[in-house]
Amino acid sequence: MSTKLVILIIGVLFVLIALLASKKGSSKLGIPLGILGVLMMIYGSYSSDLVNYNTQMEQVSIGKKLKMDGPVNSVKVVSPIDKDSVDCRILTMGVYPESHKKDIWVIIRPTDDRYYPQSDHTNTSYKRDGEWQVVTRFGGDKGEAYDLIIYEADSNASSFFSATIAKWKEADDYPGLQLAEMPAGAKEVERLVIYTSKNCRGVF
């Protein structure tokens, strides 16, 4: 159990004790404990991974958008556009035809020539009503070039990407995949070149 979680739990206990003390008319003990408990709860909550995650999510930006005309016949990226300069964390968005059933994955390939599947809490790109999106993170130097690659994936390939991300998160080590490690059930459908507009090294 982390120290932050222990502080949060103790804060809750202090607030409960303060409430019980106030019911019994012992405000001398209840008020200081209540104040201390609330402060501990605030500290424990706002320093937790959950709040940090939500704060980062609020900072997701959007790159330039491609104007789409006519019917959608294939999986396509709408934002960012090819040769766009983007922030460290963006929302990659696109469209897909009505008949499309496979999962959509965004993979980035920086200058180390390795492949990094991108995901948020859903792992696969969020799909609804012909549109898809996924949070995409860049971790290199300002002006570094990335291939942003879109893959269609069958269930086996999606499971492989999800398991790989889970393993990386558990080890807190993100070595990337070599091309030979990419699953056979993942098919590349589009590739863009993207540049970072600021220094993103060490941000995530």
Side-chain angles (χ1 to χ4, degrees):
M1 188 178 293
S2 70
T3 305
K4 295 170 186 175
L5 187 57
V6 171
I7 291 171
L8 184 61
I9 291 170
I10 293 172
V12 171
L13 288 174
F14 279 3
V15 170
L16 291 173
I17 292 169
L19 290 172
L20 290 172
S22 66
K23 285 183 178 180
K24 293 179 179 179
S26 178
S27 60
K28 288 183 180 180
L29 177 65
I31 292 173
L33 273 180
I35 293 171
L36 183 59
V38 169
L39 290 174
M40 292 177 76
M41 287 169 62
I42 291 171
Y43 174 78
S45 297
Y46 279 87
S47 59
S48 70
D49 292 337
L50 176 62
V51 173
N52 288 337
Y53 175 79
N54 287 334
T55 302
Q56 290 173 347
M57 288 299 294
E58 290 172 1
Q59 298 171 356
V60 172
S61 65
I62 298 173
K64 295 176 183 175
K65 284 190 174 183
L66 182 70
K67 291 182 180 179
M68 297 291 295
D69 294 319
V72 176
N73 299 316
S74 61
V75 174
K76 184 78 179 168
V77 178
V78 173
S79 179
I81 62 174
D82 193 36
K83 306 296 192 298
D84 202 355
S85 291
V86 300
D87 286 339
C88 303
R89 181 191 295 266
I90 66 167
L91 195 62
T92 301
M93 301 182 292
V95 293
Y96 63 91
E98 187 178 343
S99 60
H100 191 268
K101 301 300 180 187
K102 291 187 176 180
D103 291 330
I104 299 169
W105 282 85
V106 174
I107 313 287
I108 62 170
R109 186 179 72 90
T111 51
D112 66 0
D113 202 29
R114 288 181 173 264
Y115 295 76
Y116 297 84
Q118 301 296 295
S119 74
D120 49 26
H121 61 283
T122 62
N123 269 347
T124 59
S125 297
Y126 173 77
K127 292 174 65 179
R128 185 172 182 179
D129 298 331
E131 297 181 349
W132 60 267
Q133 63 184 40
V134 69
V135 176
T136 309
R137 301 165 180 86
F138 303 90
D141 298 320
K142 181 178 180 179
E144 184 171 339
Y146 289 79
D147 285 342
L148 189 145
I149 314 164
I150 310 306
Y151 280 88
E152 293 178 336
D154 62 18
S155 58
N156 290 333
S158 276
S159 295
F160 171 80
F161 286 140
S162 296
T164 298
I165 291 170
K167 183 174 68 175
W168 290 351
K169 284 182 177 178
E170 185 177 352
D172 195 22
D173 182 32
Y174 299 83
L177 297 168
Q178 295 182 355
L179 182 58
E181 296 177 282
M182 295 291 283
K187 176 188 173 187
E188 180 180 331
V189 294
E190 188 172 9
R191 182 181 294 233
L192 310 174
V193 176
I194 304 298
Y195 301 93
T196 46
S197 62
K198 58 184 69 172
N199 180 19
C200 301
R201 193 166 295 281
V203 171
F204 308 113

